[in-house]
Amino acid sequence: MATIDLDRLIKRYGHTTVVHGIDLSVRDGEFVVLVGPSGCGKSTTLRMIAGLEEISGGEIRIDGRVINDLEPKDRNIAMVFQNYAIYPHVTVAENIAFGLYRSNLSKSEKRQRVEQAAETLGLSQLLDRRPSALSGGQRQRVAIGRAMVRDPAAFLFDEPLSNLDAQLRTQMRIEIKRLHHRLGTTSVFVTHDQVEAMTMADRIVVMRDGKILQVGTPLELYENPVDVFTARFIGSPTMNLLPASLRDGGADLSLGGSVQVPPATATTADILVGARPQDLVPSSQGVPGLTVSGTVAVVETLGSETLVHIEGAGQTIIGSAPGRQIPRIGEHLTLHAPAERLYYFDKATEKALAAR
Amino acid sequence: MKAAASPPGLVMPHIRPGRILAWTLLFIGGVIMVTPLLFMLSTSLKDASQVYDLRVIPETPTLDNYIEILGDGRFTRWLVNSTIVAVIVTLSNVFFDSLVGYTLAKFRFRGRYVVFIAILSTLMIPTEMLVLPWYLMASQFGWIDSYWGIMFPGMMTAFGTFLMKQFFEGVPDDFLEAARIDGLNEFTIWWKIAMPLVTPALSALAIFTFLGNWTAFFWPLIVTTSAELYTLPVGLSSFAVEQSIQWEKIMTGASIATLPTLIIFLFLQRYIVRGVMLAGLKG
């Protein structure tokens, strides 16, 4: 187990900077997820921690020790790759044993460790098979086995679930989470999937263009996004953002109607009012908040809830209705979100206005 | 495979004219290639008096030529020489070509491209032009009339390096990086992880190199002077020079010399085809 500290970490390829001096502290035993769109520098950051990419500036420390110039093998970390990277020419047992390549354990101890890891991951029956005879999920488990057999200081996961189908992905997500609870090993997990980030992370690091936008627990990010990007990235479906202009004590929505806005620090009159689809429900306007009306254009029935896309004043707004209450397409519908569930952003800077 | 083209229930498959043409051409090609081989075999089973009798099946077949040739110490010596040369050169190529090919494919270093182009450009120089510098080199270092003299020009080839580089480029970096994290050193990663992943290419390279050296004639003829160091093709040609042309002996020797080639082809042909096909895809 270990702490990982990134201190003004920079990565340049020639004249292009892809990671712009990021700072991050991963606590002992923590499960941190780096999330962001492709090209945001999350994988590069992970590969720098692993030692697979050279560091152009700054420092990486594991347990307080600077590891900038250490070879990957000397960092005592294990990594799970997106395409598993298990060796096709050797058996499952030999693959897992590669994790112990440098250990001084005796042959029988090694075999015991391999069997232990295999049992934890439900691979005991498959030890003599070749990877070609395994399913995608089993292959990923072998890769995890190879990582955990060594008992490393930290696990690094580089989008390990993106090659799996939806059902398997959900299953592996739970397995990895369970494994983390059991082993308590510090883990850094890279993904572009916000659902993975939300469901697995102790803390999420949102990255964009080689910079960290926000670090926080899943709920912190959901409740208090610092800017429009994080607000839209976290949560599914994405947050509705409605342009509005500030006036005394409130704001006029450009699609009609108005909302009360708490005292804020906006420097401009143009703001964006955000409402999550889950908060925007068909109801009467009893309580203060946001009210929008429009024609129902699309209805997505999910069973537990129904997502309703309404069109009004040239903008599509997504709201949600209870599972059994399915609006008809073409119907006129009014959606309402209470004031305390609304988000406010400066339209020009896209930064959040005042904490909610 | 093409059954889908014919409606279900139809017993007689539709034979397309293209297919008939293809089979005909293949048949003609087969005949052209097999006929000399048959004549070689048939001549090896004739005695000297029947050599110019062009019947494929000899009137009185005899194994005397084989008994005589295999009993001739010189022939077995040449067989051993050829085996030594072909095996060592093949091992050397498999090792060094793939080592260099791997380095060029998987490491980023200054001048990598220049090195690669330099290696490739040697492919454009015909052997006939290289023989003179080889000979000068061999004579200056005292390698004339030695095993090393026969082998040194072929210990590494540009073709093999190129072939292996192309294949190693297809090996995903993740494998190598996973191994790096597991603690394997760079040489072990190449040997234990990368090499097994390019087995088809290695087999193809080994087969081509072995066959090329087994049948090599020009350079061994130039660099060897004593009969004890002749390789099989050079030795066989001496049957034609020293004691008039003894066709039946030459054909017997050739038949024996062809045997390893045939065996290798029969057992490893699927690797050759796979290697060549993959090489084509990746090139």
Side-chain angles (χ1 to χ4, degrees):
Chain A
M1 301 229 270
T3 59
I4 301 172
D5 294 291
L6 312 184
D7 194 0
R8 284 167 289 127
L9 190 66
I10 296 170
K11 178 65 192 181
R12 283 188 214 98
Y13 291 110
H15 295 296
T16 320
T17 307
V18 292
V19 175
H20 297 266
I22 59 172
D23 295 300
L24 178 70
S25 287
V26 181
R27 294 189 279 265
D28 189 12
E30 198 177 19
F31 198 108
V32 166
V33 175
L34 307 184
V35 69
S38 52
C40 72
K42 55 189 191 300
S43 280
T44 311
T45 304
L46 192 81
R47 290 169 56 81
M48 283 194 280
I49 300 173
L52 297 172
E53 294 281 351
E54 272 181 43
I55 297 164
S56 313
E59 251 179 29
I60 299 179
R61 292 185 295 273
I62 292 183
D63 266 341
R65 190 166 69 116
V66 178
I67 53 151
N68 283 23
D69 299 322
L70 284 190
E71 292 286 319
K73 61 181 192 289
D74 299 322
R75 299 185 181 202
N76 192 23
I77 39 99
M79 185 154 164
V80 179
F81 293 82
Q82 178 174 353
N83 59 10
Y84 326 127
I86 52 172
Y87 313 127
H89 59 286
V90 293
T91 62
V92 168
E94 287 167 298
N95 259 292
I96 297 176
F98 259 107
L100 294 170
Y101 188 77
R102 293 229 308 165
S103 95
N104 296 322
L105 296 175
S106 71
K107 241 181 175 172
S108 65
E109 280 173 309
K110 279 186 183 176
R111 199 171 54 228
Q112 204 183 340
R113 290 276 279 274
V114 169
E115 281 167 4
Q116 236 167 23
E119 190 163 344
T120 309
L121 295 163
L123 294 168
S124 298
Q125 306 300 314
L126 309 172
L127 282 173
D128 295 326
R129 292 224 192 142
R130 290 284 174 101
S132 56
L134 302 181
S135 71
Q138 288 167 335
R139 286 180 205 187
Q140 194 54 285
R141 260 185 234 137
V142 175
I144 294 170
R146 185 177 61 192
M148 64 183 262
V149 73
R150 184 145 39 107
D151 196 15
F155 284 127
L156 308 178
F157 296 90
D158 190 5
E159 309 214 20
L161 307 182
S162 26
N163 281 5
L164 304 176
D165 64 47
Q167 200 184 350
L168 216 61
R169 203 180 307 162
T170 315
Q171 190 189 329
M172 284 303 291
R173 211 161 70 197
I174 296 162
E175 279 185 36
I176 292 177
K177 184 119 192 177
R178 204 176 269 171
L179 203 66
H180 177 252
H181 276 296
R182 171 134 39 119
L183 303 174
T185 310
T186 311
S187 304
V188 182
F189 188 105
V190 161
T191 178
H192 60 265
D193 181 348
Q194 62 94 17
V195 178
E196 264 171 39
M198 290 293 278
T199 52
M200 301 181 80
D202 291 330
R203 279 195 304 154
I204 297 177
V205 179
V206 182
M207 290 185 72
R208 186 193 189 184
D209 299 333
K211 296 186 182 95
I212 292 180
L213 295 182
Q214 192 170 3
V215 182
T217 64
L219 215 57
E220 276 168 10
L221 261 59
Y222 188 80
E223 294 288 335
N224 291 309
V226 293
D227 57 10
V228 168
F229 178 81
T230 311
R232 288 184 64 85
F233 198 78
I234 303 290
S236 173
T238 53
M239 182 189 282
N240 297 294
L241 289 165
L242 311 169
S245 40
L246 271 183
R247 57 166 172 77
D248 260 355
D252 294 322
L253 293 170
S254 57
L255 51 71
S258 66
V259 283
Q260 282 204 310
V261 177
T265 52
T267 51
T268 59
D270 291 326
I271 64 162
L272 294 167
V273 176
R276 296 211 181 268
Q278 287 77 9
D279 298 324
L280 206 53
V281 294
S283 77
S284 56
Q285 311 175 23
V287 282
L290 171 75
T291 305
V292 286
S293 320
T295 314
V296 176
V298 178
V299 172
E300 296 179 83
T301 315
L302 299 177
S304 59
E305 61 175 343
T306 302
L307 297 175
V308 189
H309 300 238
I310 64 166
E311 272 170 9
Q315 194 175 353
T316 303
I317 296 156
I318 308 175
S320 63
R324 294 205 169 76
Q325 187 184 322
I326 302 167
R328 286 190 311 278
I329 291 186
E331 181 185 335
H332 188 79
L333 193 69
T334 301
L335 298 171
H336 182 77
E340 73 271 14
R341 300 301 312 156
L342 298 181
Y343 302 76
Y344 308 97
F345 303 95
D346 186 319
K347 194 176 177 185
T349 62
E350 299 203 334
K351 297 282 179 216
L353 299 172
R356 295 182 321 114
Chain B
M1 283 156 276
K2 293 284 175 195
S6 55
L10 205 69
V11 183
M12 274 294 289
H14 179 67
I15 299 169
R16 282 169 295 121
R19 181 143 288 208
I20 296 172
L21 182 73
W23 281 110
T24 314
L25 286 175
L26 281 175
F27 179 76
I28 295 170
V31 169
I32 291 173
M33 287 193 204
V34 169
T35 310
L37 215 65
L38 276 181
F39 260 101
M40 176 184 79
L41 260 180
S42 125
T43 312
S44 74
L45 298 172
K46 295 172 182 170
D47 60 37
S49 63
Q50 297 175 71
V51 165
Y52 294 102
D53 171 6
L54 292 182
R55 263 178 296 196
V56 173
I57 296 168
E59 212 173 4
T60 49
T62 166
L63 286 174
D64 287 352
N65 293 325
Y66 285 89
I67 294 162
E68 195 178 327
I69 282 248
L70 290 172
D72 183 339
R74 288 179 307 166
F75 185 84
T76 40
R77 180 70 202 241
W78 299 335
L79 202 67
V80 170
N81 287 348
S82 270
T83 310
I84 290 173
V85 167
V87 167
I88 291 179
V89 173
T90 302
L91 290 178
S92 164
N93 269 278
V94 164
F95 187 85
F96 288 111
D97 292 356
S98 47
L99 195 60
V100 176
Y102 176 76
T103 309
L104 288 171
K106 289 297 175 191
F107 290 94
R108 304 279 167 274
F109 55 90
R110 204 175 280 271
R112 182 173 75 114
Y113 192 65
V114 177
V115 172
F116 179 57
I117 293 296
I119 292 174
L120 260 197
S121 61
T122 64
L123 272 178
M124 293 159 206
I125 308 169
T127 313
E128 289 76 4
M129 266 180 77
L130 289 168
V131 161
L132 197 63
W134 285 346
Y135 191 85
L136 290 174
M137 193 172 155
S139 78
Q140 270 168 24
F141 286 108
W143 296 340
I144 300 283
D145 208 25
S146 69
Y147 282 129
W148 179 244
I150 305 172
M151 294 187 293
F152 84 90
M155 294 300 268
M156 240 192 92
T157 62
F159 169 73
T161 308
F162 175 70
L163 181 82
M164 295 317 297
K165 175 186 175 284
Q166 296 308 99
F167 268 88
F168 280 121
E169 272 173 1
V171 173
D173 286 339
D174 283 359
F175 284 127
L176 316 177
E177 290 177 344
R180 237 159 250 155
I181 289 176
D182 285 340
L184 279 70
N185 64 39
E186 293 301 328
F187 185 83
T188 326
I189 291 173
W190 168 71
W191 183 248
K192 282 198 161 179
I193 308 296
M195 286 289 263
L197 294 176
V198 294
T199 321
L202 285 176
S203 315
L205 176 65
I207 292 159
F208 287 140
T209 313
F210 185 88
L211 296 184
N213 281 278
W214 185 257
T215 54
F217 176 71
F218 191 41
W219 175 247
L221 176 72
I222 292 170
V223 81
T224 51
T225 47
S226 48
E228 301 89 75
L229 275 165
Y230 283 173
T231 55
L232 210 44
V234 179
L236 286 181
S237 76
S238 71
F239 280 140
V241 187
E242 287 171 10
Q243 308 140 343
S244 71
I245 303 178
Q246 296 175 289
W247 283 117
E248 73 289 357
K249 297 270 173 9
I250 292 176
M251 291 305 155
T252 310
S255 298
I256 298 170
T258 313
L259 222 57
T261 322
L262 273 179
I263 291 169
I264 287 175
F265 251 100
L266 282 178
F267 280 97
L268 300 177
Q269 58 175 335
R270 73 195 170 100
Y271 288 108
I272 300 181
V273 173
R274 216 162 90 193
V276 173
M277 263 167 49
L278 290 176
L281 282 173
K282 310 222 167 179

